[in-house]
Every structure is written in C-alpha cells, then in structure tokens.
Amino acid sequence: MQKNNDNDVMNDDNEEFSINESDTIYDDYEESSLTEEDYVPEPDPVKNKPRKRKKKKRKKRSRLPGVIILTTFVFAVSICLSLVIIAFGRDMLGIGKSDSTHLIVIPEGATTVDISELLKDEGIIKSPECFQLFSRLRKSDSSYIAGEHFVRPNMAYETIINELTSIEEAEQQETVEVTFPEGCTISEAANILEENHVCSADDFVFYFNSSGLGYSFESRLPNDTSLKFYKMEGYLFPDTYFFYENMSPEQVCQKIYLNFDNKMTPERYAKMESLGLSLDELVTFASVVQKEAANTDTMLYVASVFWNRLRNPGEFPLLQSDPTSNYSEFVSAKMDVYDKTIVDSYDTYKSPGLPPGAICNPGIEAIDAVLENVESNYFYFIANIYTGQTYFSETLEEHEAYQEMVEGQVDEYLIASREAEAQRAKEEAESEAQNATT
C-alpha cells in the first residue's frame, strides 16, 4: 500500500483517507474556555413544572363538647342563681335565724339606706339592698319612726318594717323611770326593777347574766368565769332608764347592755389597752374604787393607791380592801351550795390581786379614775364615811396616825348624833304632851 503524506491515515480496513485542517467534519465543535463549574444545565421542563396541590378534606368537628360545656355553664349558673334566691328568700322570711332580741335605735332623719345598714350591722338582715327594695315596694320609706325598737333576726322583713313604723304598742304601755345608783349590785338593781313593776327580779338576774346579746363589748369578756359569782356584775351601767311596766326582761337587758356599750368609747379602750388591762379587769378595778372612794373628787388618788399596790406585790401582796370582804360575805349568803374557793377569791384580805369579778356596778367616774392612772407615792388611805374626808399616806406610821384621828372623829360624830336624836325625841314627846292637854 502506498503511503501518502503525514496526514494520511489508514483505517482498520487498510483503507486510506486524509483529513485536512480545513475540513469541517466537526464544524459545530469549538474549543471553549468554560470550565465544568461554569456549566449550567438546561432546565428540565418536566421537573420544573408546578405541581398541583391536593385539597385536603376537612374533617367534620363534633359539636358535642361545645354543647356539653354550654349545658354545664348554664346548669352551674342556674344553681348559683337558685342558691342566691334561696338565701335571699330565707333572709327575707327570717328562716333559720336567731330568735334573740336586739334593740335598734333609729336616729332622727335616718333614711331607708341608713336603717338597712344599721340592721345589717346588728345582724338582723344580710342584704341591705334587698331590704331597701322590699321597703320601696311596700311604700314604707317615709314611715320609719325614730327611737328605740326591738327586733329579732328571725323576723320577716315585713314584720321588721311593721315594728319600725309602729308606736301603737309603746303608746298603750305606761313608761317607768328607773335610776340605778353608782355602786349598786345586780341583785339590788333587780329589786328596783321588780318594785317598779318592770319585770321579775329573778328573771332579770337570769337574763342579765346570760349575756350573748350581740354587743361589741361582749367579745372582750373572759372565757373563764368559774370563780365569778355573777358573771355580768359590773356591766350594769348606773344611769336613769325608761322602761315599761311588765316589760320583757330580755328587752330590759338590751337597754342596759346598749348603754354600757355606748359608754365604752374607742378612747377608753385605747387607754385600757395601754395600761395592760382587760375589760373585765378594768370594770373590777373600778368597782373597788367606786366602793372605796367617799366621793368622786378622791377617786383618782384612791385608784393610785391600788395601782401602787398592784405594781409592788412584793411589799404589798394583798390589796386589803374592806368592800371586797363585804361582797365576799354577800356571795356567801346568796350561795345555795357554799363554795369556799369562790367566797375567799373575792376577799382581798385573803387572795392576792384583784377579785375574780366586780363587786358592784361602777359609774363612769370610777372607770375614768382607773384609766387616768394618776402617779402618787400613796400606799394607804382612810376615809371618814360621815364627813366624806379622805386621808392619804405614804407610810404605815402616817396611816395609823390618820386612822386614830378618824376613829376619834367617828366617835365624836356618833355621840353628837345620839345626843341630837335624843333631843329630837324629847321635843317630839313634849309636843305630843302639849297637844294632849289642849
């Protein structure tokens, strides 16, 4: 086979052909400077075709839970409303409430709102708004009468309104004016009431010592009254009262309790607490001062003597008050079954400190004398009960000298008194003889 130039190529079949540089067998091919990284494939029309979203089928929600919740809510509201209506209904009718009597004092010019709030404060009603509505529907807003009225929590609203707008019962009864003197005992006060036909003495003593009438001062009473003879001795405030004949003893007690409650002002309670006294101690202390003091002018210093002794128990373990011994004897005489512990506890010559309870019912001057807490150096005093003069001492020697002097004054007074009595008797006899001759 004949060879051609260098460009001649032989194929596998030994056929000879030639390729020239100018040939354009691969005329669509050109050398490119693009790298592999610069190559961007043509988009695939199939792959980039937007897909159609399938619509999800919505599940049908059950309405049963909503119905149950709504039904439960309506049921709960209905129960609450029913309970409220029942509560107001019971309050309006006075069902299941206390039957204790309360004294309500309506001030002049009080409105229905004022009266309803007063009734709520006293525990008579629970809903002032309901009472106001009932009063308005009943057209009673302008019919309320100022003054004292007795009502009970178990009264229906209509009964309460009738009581607060009526004076017929009071007009039919005769008013009785009764004065309890300072220093009287419950027993003496009971006799005064019976003598004036207000109520039975025994019934009064029973109701007065029962307490529990709902006044604020009662919350300060001691829980332990085992050593007391009369639980409420000291709380019958001495004053002038107006009662009715054949009055309920419970209503009588209401008036007296209310007076004491009003006398014990916030200022007095503040002083009492600053001195470290309980209400019962204050009343007991004041009862001793009331009985010991010859007059109101000396109460401050009589109280100071007992204050000084109470604050110096080492030197003065006993108060040694004669009126406490007298009350001890009174208690002993009144007891159905003699109890030496109670009797001796009232006698400050036998028992230390204050008695377990008051020995009388003190006036406001005696209470204020204790609260005043006047400072002094006195530890003794003696009074001439006939002249009202009281002598105070710092030492026992000085006290004994005053005691001797007072005893002499008393002897002179008694001798003079007997002579005066004899002279009056003689004059009366002479007058009777002269009248007989004429």
Side-chain angles (χ1 to χ4, degrees):
M1 179 176 295
Q2 187 179 358
K3 293 184 180 181
N4 294 328
N5 55 23
D6 295 336
N7 293 330
D8 292 338
V9 178
M10 294 182 68
N11 59 11
D12 294 337
D13 297 333
N14 295 324
E15 292 182 354
E16 190 177 62
F17 61 93
S18 63
I19 301 175
N20 297 322
E21 293 180 358
S22 59
D23 290 339
T24 59
I25 297 176
Y26 302 104
D27 56 347
D28 59 342
Y29 173 80
E30 291 180 358
E31 287 185 1
S32 174
S33 62
L34 295 175
T35 63
E36 187 176 353
E37 288 79 3
D38 295 328
Y39 175 72
V40 178
E42 293 183 4
D44 189 336
V46 177
K47 287 183 179 181
N48 291 333
K49 186 176 182 180
R51 296 179 180 180
K52 293 183 180 180
R53 293 182 178 178
K54 294 182 179 181
K55 294 183 179 180
K56 294 181 179 180
K57 293 183 180 180
R58 294 182 178 178
K59 295 182 180 180
K60 293 184 179 181
R61 294 182 179 178
S62 174
R63 295 182 180 180
L64 183 59
V67 173
I68 293 175
I69 294 173
L70 180 59
T71 303
T72 304
F73 176 75
V74 172
F75 187 65
V77 171
S78 300
I79 291 176
C80 291
L81 288 175
S82 300
L83 292 175
V84 170
I85 293 172
I86 291 172
F88 283 144
R90 289 171 64 86
D91 188 50
M92 188 181 300
L93 298 174
I95 298 173
K97 297 166 71 176
S98 171
D99 61 352
S100 61
T101 302
H102 291 248
L103 175 59
I104 303 297
V105 181
I106 298 179
E108 290 287 348
T111 64
T112 304
V113 174
D114 298 331
I115 294 170
S116 65
E117 292 294 340
L118 177 62
L119 291 171
K120 181 185 177 183
D121 293 341
E122 292 292 331
I124 306 300
I125 64 172
K126 294 181 179 179
S127 173
E129 295 79 9
C130 189
F131 182 86
Q132 294 163 24
L133 177 61
F134 190 90
S135 176
R136 195 175 302 116
L137 293 174
R138 200 174 177 273
K139 298 180 180 180
S140 301
D141 288 352
S142 61
S143 304
Y144 293 103
I145 300 171
E148 297 178 347
H149 301 271
F150 291 98
V151 293
R152 298 187 308 277
N154 65 350
M155 285 180 170
Y157 280 8
E158 184 168 2
T159 307
I160 294 173
I161 292 174
N162 287 337
E163 176 62 34
L164 301 183
T165 58
S166 173
I167 57 173
E168 294 180 1
E169 184 178 352
E171 289 179 341
Q172 294 173 357
Q173 294 174 305
E174 185 177 347
T175 303
V176 180
E177 182 179 344
V178 174
T179 299
F180 300 125
E182 285 84 355
C184 71
T185 63
I186 289 178
S187 181
E188 292 167 343
N191 292 332
I192 293 173
L193 290 169
E194 187 168 276
E195 290 167 3
N196 286 275
H197 310 291
V198 175
C199 65
S200 161
D202 290 339
D203 289 345
F204 171 76
V205 170
F206 172 78
Y207 277 99
F208 195 82
N209 284 294
S210 297
S211 69
L213 300 184
Y215 290 93
S216 59
F217 79 88
E218 293 180 82
S219 64
R220 297 175 178 266
L221 297 178
N223 294 322
D224 184 9
T225 59
S226 58
L227 290 178
K228 281 190 170 188
F229 181 65
Y230 282 146
K231 176 183 175 182
M232 296 302 292
E233 188 81 270
Y235 295 93
L236 188 154
F237 193 82
D239 207 342
T240 297
Y241 297 83
F242 292 92
F243 302 113
Y244 301 112
E245 287 190 355
N246 302 316
M247 195 173 182
S248 163
E250 187 178 7
Q251 293 179 351
V252 174
C253 295
Q254 284 280 350
K255 291 174 73 74
I256 299 173
Y257 271 49
L258 176 63
N259 196 13
F260 182 90
D261 202 48
N262 291 335
K263 290 295 188 296
M264 288 305 299
T265 60
E267 293 76 18
R268 287 192 173 100
Y269 280 127
K271 284 185 178 181
M272 179 189 80
E273 291 168 358
S274 68
L275 293 170
L277 293 174
S278 67
L279 178 60
D280 210 53
E281 288 170 337
L282 170 62
V283 170
T284 300
F285 197 156
S287 72
V288 176
V289 173
Q290 180 73 63
K291 280 296 190 181
E292 285 280 14
N295 50 59
T296 56
D297 296 334
T298 60
M299 284 183 174
L300 288 173
Y301 287 99
V302 169
S304 76
V305 169
F306 290 117
W307 268 122
N308 290 339
R309 290 196 170 199
L310 287 170
R311 288 165 177 163
N312 292 274
E315 188 177 356
F316 297 92
L318 300 174
L319 292 183
Q320 295 183 328
S321 168
D322 292 339
T324 63
S325 298
N326 298 336
Y327 192 81
S328 175
E329 294 174 3
F330 161 79
V331 169
S332 176
K334 282 280 188 178
M335 280 184 167
D336 295 329
V337 178
Y338 181 79
D339 189 327
K340 188 177 186 298
T341 302
I342 293 177
V343 172
D344 288 349
S345 67
Y346 276 98
D347 191 343
T348 57
Y349 279 91
K350 297 178 180 179
S351 299
L354 293 168
I359 61 173
C360 70
N361 292 279
I364 200 64
E365 292 85 1
I367 291 173
D368 287 340
V370 175
L371 293 175
E372 197 64 30
N373 187 27
V374 170
E375 292 186 8
S376 76
N377 296 321
Y378 299 137
F379 287 91
Y380 306 89
F381 69 88
I382 186 170
N384 186 328
I385 60 175
Y386 298 106
T387 65
Q389 183 66 41
T390 303
Y391 304 92
F392 295 91
S393 310
E394 296 182 18
T395 64
L396 179 59
E397 293 76 17
E398 187 180 5
H399 173 66
E400 289 175 344
Y402 278 131
Q403 191 173 19
E404 186 178 348
M405 182 185 70
V406 169
E407 289 173 356
Q409 291 174 349
V410 171
D411 290 340
E412 290 175 2
Y413 178 86
L414 292 176
I415 292 171
S417 179
R418 283 194 292 267
E419 290 177 351
E421 183 66 27
Q423 182 63 29
R424 281 195 299 271
K426 181 180 178 181
E427 291 174 356
E428 289 176 0
E430 290 176 352
S431 176
E432 290 178 358
Q434 187 178 1
N435 291 335
T437 56
T438 57

